[in-house]
Amino acid sequence: MTEWIVADHVVVNDGSGTVLEPGAVEVENGLIVSVAQVTGTRPAGASVTDLGSVVLLPGLVNAHAHTPMSLMRGVAEGHSLLSMEGFLAVLRSREQYLTPELVPASVAVSCADMIRHGITSFADQYFFADEIAPTVIESGLRSRIGWGIVELGDDSVRARELAAAASFAESMAGNDRVRGWVGPHAYFVDNQPEAMKAELALATRLGAGLHVHFSTSSEEDDYCLEHFGRPALEVMSEMGMLDVPSILAHCNTVPVEQLPLLAGTRAAMTVIPSVAMMSGAPAAPVRAALDAGVTVALGTDNVCNNTNSDLFEEMRTLGKLAAFDSHVPDQVTAAEILAIATTGGQRAIDGGELDGMLVAGAVADLIAVPVRDISRGPVGAQSLESALVYCTSGASVTHSMVDGNWLMRDSTVLTLDVGGSLARQQADYDTLIARMHAGTAIAGAGKDQ
């Protein structure tokens, strides 16, 4: 069935700066069929949804997330989760009591949070991926779910986790919207080169991608310089690790001179500026990466540390942090930042060439923000891209569509029971804390991460 979505402002997002005022987007079978300027009388009828005074734009892509971790939202305050101290004190101390039945409610809470804030696609990486997937499918979001692997050089653990990752990814075959990926936690740190080769072979065989934390500190480069005499990206390139879709999350300390190795590959540098700031980590070299031709995407990471899933806030933070760190105003422009959060994210999750734009042939993933909630300066004084990046909150998003299906209308999430999920999450948290107080870890809980 064909549906027309009409709005006062339609951001095409094809790099030309085109905004149709008003515009109409024709959607059929999950794809955008046409996009046109409205002249004369606005379309009307049963097949038309006229959103009126809104800005219609492509949905945002959260290219690095951990949905089950909303169960531990905010507990990392005062710790850096990019350090071993923070990992052990905040995460591992709780994850060792985490069991599969405590996962789905928190995934639902996270998915609803993303829908409410204008995210239409996301890349997840965590253990219990098989518990994550059913709720994500129910939510209607587009996702790549990486089966988290930590093997620490243990041959038996490596074999077990690779088999589990393969089984999970194979179980997702045939679902183009939600796919199973392979999620090594960190190359060279807790996934040794032998495991990396096997993970690459698995991803290649499955037609899947790799989702890994990378360069949160200098650990990967330190290891590779000691064992191979050259930096991590050089070793990864030689191994072929960049030949499949790859999300390299954080990239805070990646050597700038190594960035050209990522250009033209299927790897995306996915930055999380809020987590870098909250963790006291260096700012990722976004300007240098863009100049080198690297695909750059944007993520929120986990809400245990970041505390929110507002990618509009993350866009704003990216721009400010880049300027603060470089002492160059507008070092990364608003138009570039919006592209990072849309088309860059789609490239990171192995989307189609046109995805992330409102053009014929792209997936029908779009969101609407009321004009009244965008604190834009006078037209001519401030571009619409700048207003979206610096003057808009994700909480203002009123409508969200993925694959041609409405996930939210008039600020109401349609696909998930938000209230019920929050209540179940609270009960799950109480269970987790009771286990912690009892002091007995559950066998197999938290697997090996």
Side-chain angles (χ1 to χ4, degrees), residues 273-274 277 283-284 286 298 312-334 337 382 386 389-392:
S274 290
M277 293 175 68
V286 174
L298 189 62
F312 281 91
E313 180 174 321
E314 213 63 45
M315 286 194 289
R316 182 163 58 251
T317 303
L318 189 163
K320 291 181 178 181
L321 179 59
F324 177 82
D325 184 63
S326 66
H327 309 291
V328 177
D330 208 27
Q331 193 205 37
V332 183
T333 69
I337 294 170
Q382 184 184 34
S386 175
V389 169
Y390 290 108
C391 308
T392 307

Side-chain angles (χ1 to χ4, degrees), residues 348-367:
I349 66 170
D350 198 30
E353 182 180 354
L354 300 174
D355 295 347
M357 310 179 204
L358 299 187
V359 297
V363 290
D365 296 2
L366 47 85
I367 60 175

Side-chain angles (χ1 to χ4, degrees), residues 83-256:
S83 70
M84 185 57 70
E85 178 276 331
F87 171 76
L88 294 175
V90 176
L91 295 186
R92 194 60 193 159
S93 64
R94 290 165 172 81
E95 286 177 343
Q96 63 182 316
Y97 301 97
L98 184 64
T99 46
E101 77 278 5
L102 302 185
V103 169
S106 288
V107 173
V109 169
S110 294
C111 287
D113 206 19
M114 286 191 279
I115 292 169
R116 287 197 301 254
H117 287 86
I119 293 166
T120 55
S121 300
F122 74 99
D124 210 337
Q125 189 226 53
Y126 206 62
F127 41 81
F128 300 130
D130 49 350
E131 295 292 334
I132 296 172
T135 302
V136 175
I137 292 171
E138 179 185 1
S139 77
L141 287 164
R142 191 178 304 279
S143 183
R144 308 292 180 257
I145 304 173
W147 183 281
I149 299 177
V150 173
E151 51 90 40
L152 295 171
D154 186 317
D155 291 345
S156 62
V157 171
R158 179 184 308 147
R160 184 193 71 205
E161 292 306 302
L162 284 168
S167 177
F168 169 68
E170 288 166 350
S171 74
M172 303 300 293
N175 189 329
D176 187 61
R177 183 170 53 81
V178 182
R179 301 179 196 165
W181 276 23
V182 183
H185 184 263
Y187 294 152
F188 308 112
V189 179
D190 48 43
N191 279 247
Q192 298 304 301
E194 294 77 9
M196 295 167 59
K197 293 174 185 176
E199 289 155 354
L200 173 62
L202 177 60
T204 301
R205 177 174 71 81
L206 295 170
L210 296 165
H211 185 165
V212 59
H213 298 86
F214 182 72
S215 208
T216 60
S217 68
S218 64
E219 285 182 286
E220 296 95 336
D221 284 323
D222 293 343
Y223 178 93
C224 289
L225 288 169
E226 178 184 350
H227 290 83
F228 302 105
R230 49 198 181 279
L233 278 181
E234 291 187 25
V235 178
M236 290 160 58
S237 179
E238 292 168 5
M239 292 175 66
M241 301 303 297
L242 309 178
D243 295 340
V244 299
S246 297
I247 291 173
L248 306 180
H250 295 287
C251 292
N252 301 113
T253 62
V254 61
V256 171

Side-chain angles (χ1 to χ4, degrees), residues 272-288:
I272 303 93
S274 290
V275 169
M277 293 175 68
M278 294 179 74
S279 300
V286 174
R287 178 73 272 155

